């Protein structure tokens, strides 16, 4: 639910505009605030898990997420809604790395592939089915229900976790890394805010993009020498884990895959909405074959990763994703839905064999006392790489559209139509209808060119994937000691 809530709000933005009499830029903070809070709290999760125990912290995270969800449903103004979305994001940001830590410790290195496969299903399906669930709830009930649906699930999760999770046995904790927190958490938030603003402004040079992104990047880069300084304080995120070659290769593979996957995840619904005229719910439903393909291969891939090593599984998965993505380089304004749904299904088959085997390849090499910090590192990699990939492909798409005068005019008129009403709206619709025959093929060509870039990004994953382990896991490695535990 925490992953799904990143996108479930996307279909409610227009409803928020009408409900709170706000602009599109103002209501976008209901998504931005959640994402920034989620990203900011991830670096703290590793230290807090070691300090307070994973069970206590997991219960706190579920409680914050659930209470934040209920308060969002009760919000009577946009400012209050954004504030409670931040609270919801603080809880949601801890859930995934904590869940990965708990499951990794419980499974042990020889079963981690199968466990990660189970965890990977919501990771891949959340972004796909968020708009579908949000659209359905708004149509059948009202907007507060996109948040209230978390209440019964949160209550069940709290009760179940109290019973089944083992009691915490906390060791004396290291001193908290205050300098690391002051560098990394705001650095991540500023950088992600900057790059997430690129689709709106179309360029890195805009003040609202370049200034926060640059400042955030400076803070994140400044964290690196601090984390490697060898002081007595254990850093907030343990970069020394990258001395473990298998971990380093997995992080590189995950970064490249996240750039391509999350960037392309933006392109598919945009094409369906802007070129084929689908609404958000229809675009979400058209992405279902991708989720179906992932559900088919993910359990099998997890089992094979445990028995044969993740390297071979990931190579096959990346190849399938590359083939599916390459099919989208042939897009036209009237490309058959059967062709596109088939391509999405092939991509889904590949994604189910890629993302979580890479994750398990990294985590199965870690000693028990490094698992919480390792999951935080992998999740930060996902957040940063996903934001960079989304920004990169958004800039390419913007330049493609601006390079076509007709397509650019069509998009500008469409933007004005979303803010117009009455006679002005009718006039703009007539103008759109006149522009469409020439503009839609040019728009489709622009999307096809962006998918060329996305295909190249996915293909690059084959390089680090070649160096992933091709044998069953032997056990965790302590990178600082260089000995096997």
């Amino acid at each position: 639910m925490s992953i799904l809530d990143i996108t479930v709000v996307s279909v409610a933005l227009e409803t928020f505009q009408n409900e709170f009499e706000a602009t599109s830029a103002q209501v976008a903070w209901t998504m931005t605030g959640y994402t920034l809070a989620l990203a900011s709290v991830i670096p703290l999760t590793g230290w807090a898990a070691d300090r307070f125990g994973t069970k206590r912290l997991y219960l706190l995270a579920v409680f914050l997420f659930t209470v934040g969800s209920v308060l969002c449903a009760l919000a009577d103004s946009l400012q209050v809604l954004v504030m409670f979305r931040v609270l919801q994001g603080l809880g949601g940001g801890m859930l995934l790395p904590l869940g990965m830590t708990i499951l990794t410790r419980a499974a042990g290195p020889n079963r981690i592939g199968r466990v990660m496969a189970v965890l990977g299903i919501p990771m891949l399906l959340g972004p796909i089915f968020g708009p579908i669930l949000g659209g359905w709830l708004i149509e059948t009930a009202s907007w507060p229900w996109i948040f209230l649906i978390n209440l019964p699930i949160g209550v069940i999760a709290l009760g179940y976790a109290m019973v089944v999770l083992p009691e915490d046995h906390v060791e004396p904790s290291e001193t908290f890394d205050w300098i690391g927190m002051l560098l990394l958490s705001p650095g991540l938030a500023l950088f992600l805010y900057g790059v997430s603003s690129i689709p709106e402004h179309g360029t890195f040079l805009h003040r609202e993009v370049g200034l926060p992104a640059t400042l955030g990047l400076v803070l994140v880069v400044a964290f690196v020498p601090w984390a490697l300084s060898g002081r007595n304080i254990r850093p907030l995120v343990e970069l020394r884990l990258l001395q473990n070659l298998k971990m380093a290769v997995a992080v590189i593979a995950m970064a490249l895959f996240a750039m391509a996957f999350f960037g392309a995840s933006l392109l598919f619904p945009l094409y369906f909405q802007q070129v084929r005229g689908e609404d958000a719910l229809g675009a979400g439903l058209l992405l279902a074959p991708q989720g179906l393909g992932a559900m088919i291969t993910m359990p099998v891939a997890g089992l094979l990763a445990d028995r044969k090593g993740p390297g071979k599984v990931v190579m096959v998965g990346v190849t399938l994703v590359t083939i599916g993505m390459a099919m989208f380089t042939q897009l036209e304004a009237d490309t058959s839905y059967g062709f596109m749904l088939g391509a999405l299904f092939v991509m889904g088959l590949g994604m189910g064999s890629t993302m979580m085997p890479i994750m398990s390849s990294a985590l199965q090499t870690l000693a028990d006392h490094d698992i919480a910090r390792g999951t935080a590192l992998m999740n930060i990699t996902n957040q940063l790489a996903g934001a960079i990939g989304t920004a990169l492909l958004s800039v390419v798409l913007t330049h493609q559209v601006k390079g076509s005068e007709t397509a650019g005019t069509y998009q500008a008129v469409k933007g004005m139509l979303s803010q117009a009403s009455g006679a002005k709206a009718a006039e703009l619709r007539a103008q759109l209808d006149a522009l469409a025959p020439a503009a839609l093929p040019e728009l489709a060509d622009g999307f096809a060119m962006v998918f060329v870039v996305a295909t190249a990004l996915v293909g690059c994953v084959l390089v680090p994937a070649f160096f992933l382990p091709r044998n069953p896991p032997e056990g965790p490695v302590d990178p600082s000691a260089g000995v096997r535990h």
Side-chain angles (χ1 to χ4, degrees):
M1 297 306 294
S2 69
I3 298 169
L4 185 142
D5 267 36
I6 297 173
T7 55
V8 74
V9 172
S10 61
V11 295
L13 295 181
E14 188 174 343
T15 303
F16 292 156
Q17 281 185 255
N18 298 329
E19 180 79 15
F20 301 118
E21 297 181 351
T23 66
S24 58
Q26 289 171 332
V27 300
W29 274 100
T30 58
M31 294 182 66
T32 305
Y34 180 85
T35 305
L36 295 184
L38 185 144
S40 299
V41 80
I42 288 175
L44 303 174
T45 308
W47 172 84
D50 291 339
R51 172 65 179 84
F52 302 107
T54 52
K55 179 175 182 176
R56 292 174 196 152
L57 196 61
Y58 187 81
L59 292 173
L60 174 64
V62 174
F63 177 77
L64 287 176
F65 179 76
T66 306
V67 170
S69 299
V70 174
L71 291 173
C72 285
L74 300 175
D76 58 0
S77 71
L78 183 61
Q79 292 81 1
V80 172
L81 177 58
V82 171
M83 181 175 67
F84 290 142
R85 279 286 281 172
V86 170
L87 176 65
Q88 190 190 26
L90 292 175
M94 291 188 282
L95 286 172
L96 185 59
L98 277 174
M100 290 174 64
T101 299
I102 293 168
L103 287 169
T104 301
R105 286 175 173 169
N110 294 318
R111 294 186 299 173
I112 194 171
R114 281 163 280 185
V115 171
M116 286 294 113
V118 174
L119 186 63
I121 291 174
M123 284 184 69
L124 288 175
L125 299 191
I128 294 172
F129 288 106
I132 298 174
L133 178 64
W136 178 74
L137 287 171
I138 288 172
E139 285 184 9
T140 58
S142 58
W143 72 262
W145 283 98
I146 65 178
F147 302 113
L148 286 176
I149 192 173
N150 291 326
L151 177 59
I153 297 172
V155 171
I156 293 169
L158 273 173
Y160 187 64
M162 287 180 185
V163 175
V164 301
L165 293 184
E167 292 301 316
D168 293 315
H169 300 286
V170 180
E171 298 291 332
S173 176
E174 303 94 345
T175 304
F176 182 66
D177 180 14
W178 287 103
I179 293 179
M181 186 199 74
L182 293 173
L183 291 173
L184 194 55
S185 287
L188 280 172
L190 286 167
F191 180 76
L192 292 176
Y193 171 72
V195 297
S196 65
S197 302
I198 287 179
E200 179 184 352
H201 300 291
T203 174
F204 183 82
L205 300 178
H206 193 280
R207 186 179 62 182
E208 287 189 25
V209 176
L211 189 60
T214 302
L215 181 56
L217 187 61
V218 168
L219 291 173
V220 171
V221 171
F223 173 77
V224 175
W226 168 256
L228 298 175
S229 63
R231 297 172 185 267
N232 292 331
I233 296 176
R234 191 179 185 191
L236 203 61
V237 174
E238 188 59 88
L239 297 182
R240 291 181 182 276
L241 294 175
L242 297 176
Q243 292 175 350
N244 176 349
L245 184 59
K246 293 178 181 178
M247 178 78 177
V249 169
V251 166
I252 294 170
M254 178 58 71
L256 290 171
F257 182 75
M259 285 177 65
F261 171 64
F262 291 110
S265 295
L266 166 83
L267 296 177
F268 299 126
L270 277 181
Y271 170 82
F272 287 131
Q273 289 175 285
Q274 294 184 3
V275 180
R276 308 307 286 265
E278 302 286 347
D279 58 18
L281 179 58
L285 288 169
L286 286 167
L287 294 174
Q290 195 178 55
L292 179 62
M295 289 179 66
I296 291 173
T297 56
M298 200 169 278
V300 179
L303 183 63
L304 290 175
D306 284 338
R307 292 185 176 177
K308 305 291 185 182
K312 298 171 186 175
V313 177
V314 173
M315 289 290 286
V316 173
V318 174
T319 301
L320 286 172
V321 176
T322 306
I323 291 171
M325 194 80 78
M327 293 171 70
F328 275 92
T329 64
Q330 307 304 308
L331 278 183
E332 297 177 357
D334 57 353
T335 300
S336 75
Y337 279 94
F339 177 85
M340 292 186 291
L341 297 182
L344 286 168
F345 181 71
V346 172
M347 285 186 64
L349 293 174
M351 283 187 286
S353 309
T354 303
M355 190 169 183
M356 298 320 290
I358 293 175
M359 193 80 76
S360 63
S361 173
L363 298 182
Q364 70 192 11
T365 67
L366 299 180
D368 187 73
H369 61 276
D370 287 326
I371 287 174
R373 308 294 176 119
T375 54
L377 176 59
M378 293 299 288
N379 279 278
I380 289 171
T381 300
N382 252 338
Q383 290 285 335
L384 286 175
I388 292 170
T390 301
L392 172 65
L393 296 186
S394 297
V395 169
V396 175
L397 180 61
T398 300
H399 282 288
Q400 289 295 317
V401 172
K402 286 183 176 178
S404 164
E405 184 176 343
T406 308
T409 305
Y410 181 85
Q411 292 290 72
V413 173
K414 200 169 186 180
M416 289 187 287
L417 177 60
S418 66
Q419 307 291 328
S421 59
K424 182 64 175 177
E427 178 187 337
L428 291 172
R429 283 195 194 93
Q431 192 175 346
L432 272 183
D433 291 339
L435 287 168
L440 293 182
E442 292 181 4
L443 266 179
D445 289 343
F447 275 96
M449 182 56 64
V450 182
F451 277 112
V452 171
V453 178
T455 303
L457 277 176
V458 176
C460 290
V461 183
L462 287 168
V463 178
F466 181 79
F467 296 98
L468 290 174
R470 296 178 176 235
N471 296 302
E474 299 172 13
V477 173
D478 186 336
S480 60
V483 297
R484 189 168 299 283
H485 288 258

